[in-house]
Amino acid sequence: MKYFNKTLIAVSVALVSTQSMAAGFQLNSQSATGIGRAFAGDAVIADNASVLSRNPAAMALFDEKQLSMGLTYADVEVEVKDVYINSNIGEIHYGSVPDAAEAKIIPNFYYVSPVNDKFAYGVAMFSNFGTGTDTGDLSKPKSILGGAAQIPAPVDLLGKTEVTTINFNLSASYRINDHFSVGAGLDVIYGQGTLTRSGELPLGPDGAYVPVDLVDVDADGVAFGGIVGAVYEINANHRLGVSYRFSPEFTAEGDVKFGGVDFQEINIPIPDIFQVAGFHQLTEKFALHYTAQMTTWGDFHEITVNDPGEAQLKKYAWDDSWLFSVGGTYTLNDSWTLRAGYMFDQGVVGEVSSISIPDSDRQWYTMGATYNLSKHTSLDFGIAFIRGEETQLTEHSSVLDLVGQQMPTLGNDLGTVHATTLSNATYYSMQYNYRF
C-alpha cells in the first residue's frame, strides 16, 4: 500500500462535508398544546400564551394576562446502517451506528399582557432549530486484502454534529377593528454549535495510523431576526392567521479549526418560516384546525468561514419544504380538554444527502390534553410519534478519493460512500398555564 502524502489534511479540509447544520434541523417543539395537535392552527388558536411562538398578532385575542411555561423531552432515534464503499475487491463495510442521536430537553416560556382593548405585548423564550448526532464510532480504518493492508474510514463525513438555538422574543400586537389584528416581534437568537471530523489516517512514520483532527469547531454567537403576523376573525367561532418569520445569516465565533488553520468565524444561513392557519369551532364541544407552513431551506446554500480570509466550506442544494397538519380539539367537560393531530413534514434534501443527519419525509401522529386545576391554572400534556422513512443515500468522501488515487487497483469509485439511514422520534411535553 502506498502511504498518504502529508498534504492530505489540507486537501480534505478544502473539500470536507461540514454538516454543522444538517438536513431537517428545524424543531417543532414549542409547546405541549401544539405537540398534542401536531401544531395544527397554532398561529391562530390562542388558547394560551404559547401562540407567541407562531404569530404575535394572535395576542390581540387575549383579554387578560397569561403565562405559559413548559418542557419537551425529545427522544430522538437516528440509525445509520451499513456504511460501505465499492471497490475492485468487493464491498468494504465500516459498520453501523444503531443510536447516533441523543435525547434532548427543550424548555419554553411565554408571557402575554394586554395593555388595553387595542394593544398587547409579550415576551417569549423557545427554540426553532437544533440537532445532534455522533457517528464517530465508524471512523476506524478497516483491514483489506486478507489483513495485509488497511484502508481508512471516510473520516471527513463522520463525527459529532450538535447545534442548539434559543429565541428570545419581544412582540406587540394591535387590534385594528373587530375583525383584523396585526403584530410584529424582534428575535434575539443565541446559537451554539460543536462539529468534529476526526479519525485515524496513515500519516505517521512508515505509514502508521495516527489520530487526526480534520475539523474541530466549538463556537457560539448572537443574531437578530423578526416576525410579522396578522389575524382575521370571521366571527367568534372562525378565524384565520398568517405569519412570516425572518431569520438571519448566523455568525458564530470561537474555536474554528480546519487542518491546523485557525479561523475566527463560521457563517450559517438560517431559513425563513411562513405559515397560514385556521380555526373553526364547529360545535359547542368540537373544533377543527389546520396549518400549512413553508420553510425556505433553499436559502441554506453554503457554509463559509472568515478571518483569515473567506472560504466556502460546503455548498448545498436543498429545497424549500412544506408541512401540513390538521387537528381537532374536544372539550370533554369543565376539567378536561382533549386534542389530537396529524402532520406531514416534507424532507428538504435535494441533490445533496448527508450521513451525519439523515433526512426524509416524516409523519407525525399526536395527541394531548389540558386539565384545568382551577379557574386560573391548567396543565397541558402532549405526545408526538414522529416516523421517518428508511433512506438509501450516498455521500462523497474526499479522503477516500485520495485513497483511490494512491491505490488505483482498488477502483475509481472509492469516494462514493453508501449508507442506509432512518430517523424517528417521540416527543413528551408538559406545560403549566396561568391566567392572571
Side-chain angles (χ1 to χ4, degrees):
M1 172 179 183
K2 294 183 180 180
Y3 300 129
F4 277 30
N5 187 285
K6 295 281 187 178
T7 59
L8 169 64
I9 298 179
V11 173
S12 60
V13 164
L15 300 175
V16 67
S17 175
T18 55
Q19 307 284 352
S20 62
M21 288 279 200
F25 61 88
Q26 184 173 359
L27 293 176
N28 282 301
S29 59
Q30 289 79 18
S31 69
T33 41
I35 286 175
R37 56 183 172 236
F39 293 95
D42 255 37
V44 75
I45 292 181
D47 46 2
N48 59 59
S50 66
V51 71
L52 194 51
S53 68
R54 299 280 172 159
N55 188 359
M59 292 190 297
L61 302 172
F62 290 75
D63 56 11
E64 57 189 353
K65 298 176 182 178
Q66 293 205 27
L67 169 72
S68 296
M69 55 185 177
L71 293 172
T72 297
Y73 177 78
D75 185 8
V76 183
E77 305 168 9
V78 175
E79 186 175 4
V80 181
K81 297 188 293 185
D82 197 19
V83 178
Y84 73 93
I85 58 175
N86 288 311
S87 76
N88 289 342
I89 61 172
E91 294 179 353
I92 300 173
H93 292 258
Y94 292 95
S96 303
V97 180
D99 190 5
E102 294 182 356
K104 301 291 183 183
I105 296 177
I106 308 167
N108 58 71
F109 174 88
Y110 308 95
Y111 175 74
V112 172
S113 178
V115 177
N116 52 41
D117 291 342
K118 294 288 187 181
F119 288 98
Y121 73 89
V123 294
M125 181 203 72
F126 55 93
S127 180
N128 278 326
F129 301 99
T131 188
T133 60
D134 192 345
T135 55
D137 289 347
L138 302 179
S139 61
K140 293 184 172 66
K142 292 297 178 181
S143 297
I144 58 174
L145 302 174
Q150 285 186 312
I151 186 170
V155 296
D156 50 337
L157 308 183
L158 305 172
K160 184 175 183 179
T161 303
E162 186 168 8
V163 175
T164 302
T165 67
I166 302 174
N167 275 43
F168 299 94
N169 174 269
L170 174 63
S171 293
S173 67
Y174 179 72
R175 176 175 287 280
I176 296 175
N177 53 43
D178 289 342
H179 297 283
F180 193 61
S181 304
V182 294
L186 172 68
D187 288 328
V188 180
I189 306 167
Y190 171 78
Q192 189 275 333
T194 300
L195 174 68
T196 61
R197 295 292 181 265
S198 61
E200 297 180 21
L201 295 177
L203 298 174
D206 298 323
Y209 276 80
V210 295
V212 174
D213 292 328
L214 293 179
V215 182
D216 189 359
V217 175
D218 188 357
D220 62 2
V222 174
F224 296 91
I227 184 171
V228 294
V231 168
Y232 182 72
E233 299 172 71
I234 301 169
N235 54 43
N237 293 321
H238 302 276
R239 53 186 179 266
L240 303 171
V242 59
S243 69
Y244 194 97
R245 171 161 263 117
F246 302 89
S247 298
E249 177 169 302
F250 196 90
T251 298
E253 298 180 352
D255 295 326
V256 183
K257 298 179 180 179
F258 295 90
V261 179
D262 290 340
F263 292 89
Q264 298 300 312
E265 296 179 346
I266 184 168
N267 305 303
I268 305 164
I270 301 177
D272 296 345
I273 303 171
F274 167 75
Q275 63 182 305
V276 294
F279 172 83
H280 306 282
Q281 189 72 44
L282 300 181
T283 69
E284 183 179 352
K285 288 185 173 291
F286 179 73
L288 176 71
H289 27 89
Y290 47 85
T291 286
Q293 176 179 294
M294 190 267 286
T295 305
T296 63
W297 285 112
D299 294 340
F300 187 65
H301 51 86
E302 66 176 356
I303 294 176
T304 61
V305 291
N306 292 330
D307 194 11
E310 181 175 351
Q312 182 189 76
L313 295 181
K314 180 66 178 178
K315 184 177 181 179
Y316 290 85
W318 288 0
D319 299 325
D320 295 344
S321 68
W322 285 88
L323 66 78
F324 304 94
S325 64
V326 61
T329 298
Y330 183 78
T331 304
L332 185 64
N333 51 44
D334 291 341
S335 297
W336 287 97
T337 300
L338 309 179
R339 58 184 62 90
Y342 167 79
M343 178 195 297
F344 172 77
D345 190 6
Q346 186 182 36
V348 303
V349 169
E351 300 173 7
V352 178
S353 55
S354 168
I355 293 173
S356 297
I357 298 181
D359 183 70
S360 70
D361 294 343
R362 291 166 291 276
Q363 316 283 334
W364 288 55
Y365 309 95
T366 76
M367 57 186 175
T370 296
Y371 178 69
N372 295 312
L373 296 169
S374 68
K375 179 180 178 181
H376 296 283
T377 60
S378 62
L379 291 177
D380 293 326
F381 307 92
I383 185 171
F385 303 95
I386 306 162
R387 296 297 176 257
E389 300 174 353
E390 191 170 81
T391 303
Q392 310 291 327
L393 60 81
T394 60
E395 192 171 5
H396 197 78
S397 167
S398 53
V399 166
L400 292 182
D401 258 351
L402 289 172
V403 175
Q405 294 172 20
Q406 298 197 16
M407 301 182 67
T409 57
L410 289 179
N412 57 9
D413 191 32
L414 292 185
T416 302
V417 182
H418 304 263
T420 301
T421 60
L422 177 65
S423 57
N424 297 319
T426 305
Y427 285 1
Y428 307 90
S429 189
M430 186 167 65
Q431 181 174 296
Y432 171 82
N433 307 297
Y434 186 81
R435 298 186 179 190
F436 292 85

